[in-house]
Amino acid sequence: METIKLAPGEMAPDETDCIKINETPEGTFTLVASALMACGDGDDSESVALVSSDPYPSYEAAESAGLAWAQEHCVAKLYIETDGGPEPVRTPRPDFAPSA
């Protein structure tokens, strides 16, 4: 998997697979991810997303979890965004529809 770490505050291009790591006011880190799952035999891809429920104790722990998640979903090229602050995350990919 190719990874591209963006400068703090820089956003990944639209419709790309990415993870975003934000620091909370408490000094822990949250993880949000969005990808077009490329695993499987068919030509159809499925949008998937991840929002961490529990904060990670370090940036490295959040990044490691995001990379593992992307690997599980067969991501070939992953952008890594970070703000370093408790900013809201970018909106999910336009083709993502959360399941009920």
Side-chain angles (χ1 to χ4, degrees), residues 1-85:
M1 170 175 40
E2 177 185 0
T3 58
I4 301 167
K5 288 189 178 189
L6 301 171
E10 186 178 355
M11 292 182 68
D14 288 340
E15 299 187 26
T16 59
D17 300 331
C18 69
I19 61 173
K20 182 163 186 173
I21 301 167
N22 284 321
E23 186 173 3
T24 68
E26 296 80 27
T28 58
F29 295 83
T30 61
L31 171 65
V32 175
S34 177
L36 193 59
M37 185 168 67
C39 300
D41 297 334
D43 290 334
D44 294 335
S45 296
E46 177 183 348
S47 291
V48 291
L50 167 75
V51 177
S52 62
S53 57
D54 293 326
Y56 295 90
S58 67
Y59 174 91
E60 292 77 13
E63 182 180 71
S64 179
L67 292 173
W69 178 86
Q71 188 72 36
E72 289 174 14
H73 292 90
C74 306
V75 170
K77 185 175 186 178
L78 181 70
Y79 287 85
I80 302 173
E81 299 177 4
T82 182
D83 272 351

